[in-house]
Amino acid sequence: MTTFTIPFPPTTNHIWKSSGKRRYLSSEYVAFKGLVDYIVKRERIPKFGDKRMAVAIELCAPNRRRVDIDNRVKAVLDAFTESHVWDDDSQVDQLHVKRGTIVKGGCAVVTLEVL
């Protein structure tokens, strides 16, 4: 089991931006993925390859605003895929998401476990 903290993820509604017919990743999401990749390398998070996974995410919002926690999960799982924590997020067989306490700046405490 591996537990670590990442920045508070952007909502799914803010992952993509569009301009005319062009669609692209938002700068907020690109920055989030970069920070996650840095943390994965710095914390030496193991590479799980094609193993079946259980993921627990505790979302600690940065303020009292209403937060739809299920809209934050995709950004986290996709960032781990791009950081090569696993081959694909379809390997996640168990997913537990809960709201944590308010933390200045916000964060997500993630626990990864091989099934």
Side-chain angles (χ1 to χ4, degrees):
M1 189 175 337
T2 303
T3 301
F4 55 99
T5 302
I6 61 173
F8 194 68
T11 176
T12 302
N13 302 331
H14 293 167
I15 290 177
W16 293 98
K17 297 283 184 184
S18 59
S19 176
K21 294 181 180 182
R22 186 172 163 252
R23 210 165 163 217
Y24 55 94
L25 293 174
S26 71
S27 58
E28 177 186 11
Y29 181 59
V30 170
F32 172 75
K33 288 191 313 178
L35 286 170
V36 168
D37 191 50
Y38 172 76
I39 291 166
V40 164
K41 289 174 181 161
R42 181 189 72 200
E43 300 292 322
R44 294 188 172 109
I45 305 303
K47 307 297 184 198
F48 296 101
D50 63 353
K51 295 181 175 124
R52 307 310 296 178
M53 300 296 298
V55 179
I57 304 169
E58 180 179 357
L59 293 166
C60 300
N63 52 42
R64 292 182 177 269
R65 291 172 118 177
R66 289 174 40 176
V67 173
D68 192 357
I69 63 174
D70 67 322
N71 276 347
R72 308 288 171 154
V73 174
K74 180 169 181 50
V76 173
L77 299 181
D78 287 351
F80 290 155
T81 300
E82 290 204 23
S83 294
H84 306 288
V85 170
W86 49 54
D87 292 345
D88 188 74
D89 57 1
S90 66
Q91 297 164 223
V92 177
D93 290 337
Q94 293 180 19
L95 179 61
H96 179 78
V97 183
K98 74 176 186 177
R99 186 181 317 272
T101 59
I102 294 172
V103 172
K104 186 176 182 177
C107 68
V109 180
V110 180
T111 302
L112 305 176
E113 184 177 0
V114 175
L115 294 176

